[in-house]
Amino acid sequence: MPQRGDSKIKIVSEEQAHALASAAIDYELEKERGRPAMRLAARASAILKADFVILVGGDCSWSVLGAGHAQQPFVAADALALFDALEPGVAAVRRVSGEDWTLLTYGADVRVGLAVEGDWTLSPVPLFKLATVVNARVARTRSARPASETVARLHYRMMHRLARVTGLLRVSETILRYAANAVDARLGALAVAQAGDNRASIVATHGYPRALVEHVRIEPGAGVIGSVIASRRPVHASGEEEDPARPRRPRYHTSSFVAVPIVGGRDVLGAICVTDKKGDRPFDQSDVAVLRTFAAGAALALDRERAADSAEAYAHAAAVDTVTGVFNRRYFQVRLDEELQRSRRHQIPLALLLIDVDDFKHVNDSHGHLAGDTVLRDIGEILRHSVRIFDVCARFGGEEFVIIMPGSSSDNARRIAERIREHIEAYRPSDRVLAALKVTVSIGLAVSSSGSAASQLLERADRALYAAKHAGKNCIRGDEVTETEDL
């Protein structure tokens, strides 16, 4: 078993898994006295021989339920903020105070987080089982929100939360949850308008599954949400008189609803719609005013997400080669440096494939540069479909491509390189004019060692590629120095 402080990836043994399961059962059965979560954290820490912290997420903050052997419990604001960047059900390694910690979260309404010193991402199942048990107990024992909590307090908590969450889905879910609770609505939906044409789609729901409506596209002026977006004015139905033209759906208890637009400057960003007030009471004008207040705060967050999406789209365009659709050389250089740092930190290998299209000048000279572009684009497609999802394919320049393969040994990288070589050799362009064209590639392979710099790894791959060319092309050669070095 790796010792505490070891930076290598750690594995939960079968014996440790049984011990963690036993600790979870004891925690589940233990009465609510003397902070049982603290004892669970201490037992988990002793079992794994690593600092172990249990946290619970509130509406706008995380708090520590228990900490085992942690000299400095995981309470720093910058450390806790890392949990908000994680999707529930995902385990990830993050650097905290210069050390690797495995972070994971579980749950939706009640979110539980675990922080374990070291990299445990290869065996997250026992940890998620612990998080499941803690989540269930916290959900049972957490008291209901006080009825006296004011709308102003809910609005403050929403804005505080929105300052920390990102991503359209999480932002929309946060807005809708607080807005619906502020007016005691059982059911609700938040629709976001597409930039340019104001067509909208529902991205968050409250009280029913989003899967029921996520495929719906709402035209401006169509239905309640469409009319609110088109007119920029709220719609309120008291429900006192049933509308024969709009019969009530079975899942609704009343016909009363409120829909308000989310307006950011000149643009309508979306709409919030709620129905079924608790106690089957009708919504009134005060509810409309409350929702308009929440919509104003929502506009700031949705406008921020729209700007972030635009920036991301521009960044992606700047990182992609326009001919082949794979990443460009500038992006490759940045990622290679990042992946080499990670490989050194976790002491895992990194393989690099340098791929050159054989006799590509003949393709351009015989068939023209447009035909050459077609071949390069098709090869880029073959590369993307031949590697793992987290490998990085890029155009290195001209007819050369490069692939970064994190965590890949020499043998595994050679197998994938051979697959690529075979697929390209079997490739025939779809253009009938080029149907007789045969394309092959030569591939140079290099694997990083503990002290490899990016320039050194590239030089090794280039030497291996030269050897493949010298051996007659359409083959793979590896850098023998790299392959025999101790990783």
Side-chain angles (χ1 to χ4, degrees), residues 19 40 63 85 158 248 344 364 372 392 441:
L40 175 62
S63 58
M158 181 189 78
R248 179 162 24 110
R344 287 192 289 268
N364 281 334
V392 179
V441 294

Side-chain angles (χ1 to χ4, degrees), residues 332 335-336 339 350-352 390-393 402-406:
F332 158 74
R335 283 297 302 275
L336 180 58
E339 294 299 338
L350 180 145
L352 192 70
F390 48 82
D391 293 334
V392 179
C393 299
V402 65
I403 301 176
I404 305 171
M405 305 177 68

Side-chain angles (χ1 to χ4, degrees), residues 64-304:
V64 175
L65 285 182
H69 292 292
Q71 305 259 336
Q72 296 178 339
F74 211 82
V75 296
D78 57 342
L80 294 180
L82 294 173
F83 280 94
D84 285 325
L86 290 179
E87 293 296 329
V90 173
V93 177
R94 296 290 186 267
R95 297 288 283 180
V96 179
S97 301
E99 295 183 350
D100 285 342
W101 287 74
T102 298
L103 312 182
L104 61 86
T105 66
Y106 177 84
D109 294 334
V110 175
R111 292 185 69 197
V112 166
L114 298 184
V116 191
E117 181 193 14
D119 185 350
W120 299 85
T121 51
L122 290 186
S123 52
V125 174
L127 302 178
F128 276 114
K129 288 181 178 179
L130 272 185
T132 303
V133 172
V134 177
N135 172 268
R137 180 160 184 164
V138 172
R140 288 197 307 268
T141 59
R142 176 173 283 185
S143 59
R145 176 179 293 147
S148 61
E149 189 168 41
T150 64
V151 169
R153 176 63 176 168
L154 281 172
H155 185 264
Y156 169 80
R157 290 165 72 87
M158 181 189 78
M159 297 306 296
H160 197 301
R161 184 69 174 168
L162 289 176
R164 300 174 59 189
V165 300
T166 58
L168 180 61
L169 177 60
R170 293 185 67 195
V171 166
S172 300
E173 289 174 343
T174 300
I175 293 167
L176 183 59
R177 182 173 72 251
Y178 282 99
N181 287 339
V183 294
D184 289 333
R186 291 195 190 99
L187 304 174
L190 188 147
V192 172
Q194 298 177 8
D197 61 3
N198 279 350
R199 290 176 71 242
S201 56
I202 296 175
V203 296
T205 57
H206 179 77
Y208 64 96
R210 185 168 65 96
L212 297 177
V213 291
E214 63 183 355
H215 63 284
V216 176
R217 296 296 177 267
I218 304 168
E219 298 291 337
V224 173
I225 291 177
S227 64
V228 166
I229 291 175
S231 67
R232 304 167 66 102
R233 298 172 63 86
V235 173
H236 169 225
S238 65
E240 294 177 357
E241 295 182 3
E242 296 280 350
D243 185 354
R246 187 182 291 136
R248 179 162 24 110
R249 294 180 183 177
R251 71 168 176 259
Y252 297 142
H253 292 202
T254 74
S255 297
S256 180
F257 66 85
V258 178
V260 298
I262 303 173
V263 181
R266 297 181 179 180
D267 298 328
V268 180
L269 304 177
I272 300 172
C273 183
V274 297
T275 188
D276 270 8
K277 194 178 181 74
K278 293 177 182 177
D280 294 342
R281 295 170 290 141
F283 293 103
D284 55 28
Q285 286 300 323
S286 65
D287 295 316
V288 178
V290 168
L291 287 179
R292 295 188 74 170
T293 299
F294 278 77
L300 298 174
L302 291 180
D303 198 36
R304 179 196 67 195

Side-chain angles (χ1 to χ4, degrees), residues 297-373:
L300 298 174
L302 291 180
D303 198 36
R304 179 196 67 195
E305 291 305 308
R306 181 177 285 189
D309 287 344
S310 297
E312 185 176 347
Y314 283 122
H316 184 267
V320 172
D321 177 66
T322 56
V323 174
T324 63
V326 299
F327 291 112
N328 58 28
R329 184 166 179 168
R330 178 184 300 174
Y331 180 83
F332 158 74
Q333 293 286 174
V334 174
R335 283 297 302 275
L336 180 58
D337 288 334
E338 291 176 350
E339 294 299 338
L340 278 173
Q341 290 177 17
R342 178 154 47 188
S343 73
R344 287 192 289 268
R345 188 165 62 245
H346 297 292
Q347 298 185 25
I348 57 176
L350 180 145
L352 192 70
L353 301 182
L354 193 56
I355 303 166
D356 184 81
V357 183
D358 296 327
D359 303 315
F360 185 71
K361 185 176 183 299
H362 174 72
V363 177
N364 281 334
D365 292 345
S366 301
H367 303 282
H369 287 278
L370 290 179
D373 287 350

